[in-house]
């Protein structure tokens, strides 16, 4: 099922079949120290995979197909879709009892090293947002751990062939440490992720497009229709505004007020990487 053809490292290693989406086997390929000095080599020798390295029909059946990425769903996890102001899906979050996991794919050059640059920029934006930041060693290399008064964030990146994976782990304060349950789940998800880069040209660091499955799209449309109906019913059931009393002095006219529901829009981003805290709503 998983025939390894690591284009970025020039190896031709075959993987054994896996029994499930969460068990993707191990490989004998040693960690490349020049690839990233933070790499430990433990999980870097498994996924994430390029779509050309796997049997697409098999992995599609066992993962959530989002077009550019196919991700395994953690046990008990729920899906949360974040929509851009223009109505297109911007992020798909995997929500667990411990916190939230977001896996995204970006266009990258053929040679590795983009995550190193992105990580440095993310660290700077985190510090600008008054977060305490540390750089730690992870299975695929450097990871960023940001701590704020309200939440903990961990950024995990993986360089591939013309693509880069970025995983954002968001949890309550003190729950995104390297040994936490949530980070363990996130690393398992990354290890089982498959990237469908496609042959279309994309500028470097451009997010690869997200395409929702048809069933998920139908659920979103149904949910939006229910929200619109509820809003219409609430508006129809609102008490009409009372007219101003006739005895009111002309120099103090009665003021009329209207209840307007607050707008919910995705916070603006700063560049391709964006402000780390803006992207997560903090």
């Amino acid at each position: 099922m998983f025939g390894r053809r690591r284009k970025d490292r020039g190896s031709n290693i075959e993987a054994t079949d896996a029994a499930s989406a969460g068990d993707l086997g191990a490989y004998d390929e040693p960690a490349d120290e020049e690839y990233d000095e933070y790499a430990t080599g433990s999980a870097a020798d498994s996924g994430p995979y390029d779509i050309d390295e796997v049997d697409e029909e098999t992995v599609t059946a066992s993962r959530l197909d989002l077009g550019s990425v196919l991700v395994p769903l953690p046990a008990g996890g729920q899906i949360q879709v974040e929509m851009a102001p223009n109505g297109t899906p911007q992020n798909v979050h995997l929500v667990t009892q411990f916190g939230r996991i977001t896996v995204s794919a970006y266009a990258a050059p053929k040679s590795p090293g983009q995550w190193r640059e992105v990580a440095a920029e993310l660290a700077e934006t985190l510090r600008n947002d008054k977060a305490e930041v540390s750089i730690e060693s992870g299975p695929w290399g450097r990871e960023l751990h940001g701590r704020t008064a309200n939440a903990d964030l961990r950024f995990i990146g993986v360089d591939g062939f013309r693509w880069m994976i970025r995983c954002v782990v968001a949890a309550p304060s003190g729950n995104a440490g390297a040994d936490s349950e949530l980070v363990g789940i996130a690393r398992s998800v990354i290890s089982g992720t498959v990237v469908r880069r496609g042959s279309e040209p994309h500028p470097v660091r451009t997010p690869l497009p997200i395409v929702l499955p048809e069933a998920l799209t139908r659920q979103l449309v149904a949910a939006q229709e229910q929200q619109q109906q509820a809003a219409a019913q609430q508006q129809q059931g609102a008490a009409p505004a009372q007219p101003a009393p006739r005895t009111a002095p002309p120099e103090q006219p009665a003021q009329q007020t209207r209840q307007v529901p607050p707008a919910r829009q995705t916070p603006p981003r700063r560049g391709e990487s964006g402000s780390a805290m803006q992207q997560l709503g903090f």
Side-chain angles (χ1 to χ4, degrees), residues 168-253:
V168 184
V169 181
S173 196
N175 288 275
D179 298 328
S180 66
E181 292 281 351
L182 181 60
V183 171
I185 295 172
R187 289 171 175 166
S188 178
V189 169
I190 296 172
S191 182
T193 293
V194 177
V195 180
R196 188 189 284 120
R197 165 63 173 80
S199 58
E200 299 82 4
H202 295 285
V204 169
R205 298 197 185 190
T206 300
L208 298 180
I210 295 175
V211 180
L212 299 179
E214 183 178 349
L216 185 56
T217 300
R218 289 197 300 266
Q219 293 179 15
L220 286 174
V221 171
Q224 290 174 350
E225 291 177 350
Q226 291 179 358
Q227 291 177 354
Q228 292 173 355
Q229 292 175 0
Q233 292 175 357
Q234 184 178 7
Q235 187 175 9
Q236 292 175 358
Q242 297 295 329
R246 294 184 178 181
T247 57
E251 64 273 13
Q252 295 181 353

Side-chain angles (χ1 to χ4, degrees), residues 7-46:
K7 302 175 183 177
D8 53 341
R9 302 195 189 184
S11 62
N12 186 22
I13 298 176
E14 296 296 322
T16 56
D17 288 348
S20 66
D23 180 14
L24 298 176
Y27 306 94
D28 295 329
E29 181 186 7
D32 187 348
E33 294 181 357
E34 295 181 359
Y35 198 73
D36 193 322
E37 67 269 24
Y38 284 86
T40 64
S42 58
D45 295 334
S46 57

Side-chain angles (χ1 to χ4, degrees), residues 20 25 29 55 75 78 91 101 114 127 154 211 218 248 259:
S20 66
E29 181 186 7
D55 180 75
Q78 297 181 343
N91 282 306
I101 302 167
Q114 179 165 295
R127 293 187 180 102
R154 180 172 291 267
V211 180
R218 289 197 300 266
Q259 294 183 352

Side-chain angles (χ1 to χ4, degrees), residues 67-104:
S68 55
V69 290
L70 296 83
V71 295
L73 291 176
Q78 297 181 343
I79 301 171
Q80 184 182 75
V81 181
E82 176 186 340
M83 305 298 289
N86 62 1
T88 60
Q90 181 166 280
N91 282 306
V92 176
H93 309 291
L94 308 180
V95 182
T96 75
Q97 60 176 319
F98 306 105
R100 193 174 71 185
I101 302 167
T102 309
V103 178
S104 305

Side-chain angles (χ1 to χ4, degrees), residues 7-9 35 107-113 159-163 204:
K7 302 175 183 177
D8 53 341
R9 302 195 189 184
Y35 198 73
K110 295 180 180 180
S111 58
D159 285 317
F161 181 74
R162 299 179 64 228
W163 50 259
V204 169

